[in-house]
Amino acid sequence: MTNEKDIIAQCRVLQRVYKMKIAVCDDEKNFREDVSAAIYEYSNKHRHEMVVNGYVCGEDLLNSVSKYDIIMLDYHMDGISGLEVAREIRKKNILSEIIFMTNHPGFVYEAFEVNAFRFFEKPLNVKKIHKAFDDYFSAFGNNYPIPIKIERETICVNTRDIVYIEADNKKCHVNLIDKAYPCTNAMRNIIKFLPKNIFYRVHKSFVVNFNYISSYNNQDIKLKNGATARVSRKYFASFRDAYHAFVKGRII
């Protein structure tokens, strides 16, 4: 039987060989190519392995079978709009990070419904694209498989796929967007593996992923998979401040 140290080693190997995939969807060829060039410039500078695929329209992107870490979308395109493309992406439970490129920044708050990661205005600003990728790696650069125990089996779960974790005495439940794993790990033993800039403890029994919060009050947090996490008075103020800082950092 494979032990936990072996699983952790395998997880680290997966992290090292991972190649990032990015889609750029814009009906202007020159702009699309310039954005792709800016991304490759960033990847060469920071020694990240990246593959960029270009799409002329939203329909082509939606018909693609490729899976992307980041999707860069023009808001106004011929045919289906970038916002409608993003809505269809979310309907399919695709968790790609979405960056909107637009001449019309007034739609920003409307686009929060599709959990957009960043927005930037045209014309092309290479520094802003690089800043968006800096922010991505700050938020998700620690996205890696972590080991969790399910009875006698140890499996790997990507940190970005975890919506929240709920303690259950000396065990816990690791909840993804569409499934839950009952774990023999104590919650405190899983928390130490999680990137602290994304996950936050809001109650002695709940840790939530900022990326999946849809709304909150001083008692409960509504999550994008339909679940609810409790917030304790002890953690509420610090959670609120941390989450506001997280959201504020998404607009560039």
Side-chain angles (χ1 to χ4, degrees):
M1 181 181 296
T2 305
N3 61 37
E4 185 170 340
K5 288 184 179 179
D6 292 333
I7 293 290
I8 294 172
Q10 292 169 17
C11 291
R12 288 174 178 165
V13 169
L14 287 172
Q15 184 183 11
R16 285 200 300 271
V17 302
Y18 178 73
K19 183 177 290 187
M20 193 173 178
K21 294 190 68 176
I22 301 154
V24 178
C25 186
D26 193 291
D27 53 11
E28 297 179 23
K29 179 181 178 182
N30 290 339
F31 184 81
R32 192 170 62 246
E33 291 177 348
D34 288 344
V35 171
S36 298
I39 295 170
Y40 281 125
E41 178 184 329
Y42 182 91
S43 70
N44 291 334
K45 179 180 179 180
H46 296 278
R47 300 179 66 184
H48 293 301
E49 282 197 89
M50 296 182 178
V51 174
V52 183
N53 294 330
Y55 293 89
V56 178
C57 63
E59 289 86 350
D60 287 350
L61 174 60
L62 291 174
N63 289 331
S64 171
V65 296
S66 297
K67 295 182 179 180
Y68 294 101
D69 300 281
I70 295 177
I71 297 175
M72 304 186 71
L73 278 173
D74 182 18
Y75 180 62
H76 285 286
M77 294 184 287
D78 292 336
I80 186 172
S81 73
L83 184 57
E84 287 301 320
V85 172
R87 285 172 176 157
E88 291 301 315
I89 287 169
R90 293 303 184 228
K91 285 179 184 177
K92 297 177 181 179
N93 284 332
I94 296 172
L95 300 179
S96 307
E97 297 305 320
I98 294 173
I99 297 176
F100 279 110
M101 308 173 290
T102 179
N103 288 318
H104 304 277
F107 88 102
V108 164
Y109 293 102
E110 182 183 6
F112 268 109
E113 71 176 84
V114 294
N115 198 29
F117 179 69
R118 289 293 184 277
F119 314 83
F120 65 81
E121 297 180 48
K122 294 183 176 182
L124 176 70
N125 185 314
V126 173
K127 288 184 178 179
K128 286 190 175 182
I129 290 179
H130 289 187
K131 176 62 165 57
F133 277 83
D134 281 341
D135 291 346
Y136 175 87
F137 282 104
S138 175
F140 301 105
N142 291 325
N143 174 45
Y144 48 84
I146 63 169
I148 62 173
K149 291 182 179 179
I150 304 174
E151 295 181 350
R152 296 186 178 183
E153 184 181 10
T154 301
I155 67 170
C156 284
V157 175
N158 285 338
T159 55
R160 71 175 294 175
D161 295 334
I162 299 173
V163 178
Y164 72 103
I165 301 173
E166 181 179 3
D168 182 10
N169 293 320
K170 294 182 179 181
K171 301 178 182 180
C172 70
H173 297 273
V174 175
N175 296 274
L176 311 187
I177 196 74
D178 57 355
K179 66 175 67 175
Y181 290 111
C183 303
T184 53
N185 309 76
M187 189 169 75
R188 66 177 181 275
N189 292 331
I190 293 182
I191 290 174
K192 64 185 179 183
F193 286 106
L194 300 177
K196 293 179 175 57
N197 55 338
I198 301 170
F199 288 88
Y200 206 88
R201 190 166 195 162
V202 297
H203 187 279
K204 66 179 182 179
S205 298
F206 288 93
V207 172
V208 301
N209 184 334
F210 282 153
N211 291 290
Y212 292 100
I213 293 174
S214 58
S215 66
Y216 71 89
N217 55 41
N218 62 0
Q219 294 182 327
D220 298 300
I221 295 173
K222 303 294 184 183
L223 298 159
K224 292 183 183 294
N225 67 344
T228 299
R230 294 195 303 276
V231 183
S232 70
R233 183 179 301 177
K234 174 182 177 181
Y235 292 104
F236 177 72
S238 60
F239 154 72
R240 180 193 57 204
D241 293 345
Y243 183 64
H244 283 188
F246 171 79
V247 172
K248 184 178 179 180
R250 294 168 65 187
I251 302 177
I252 58 176

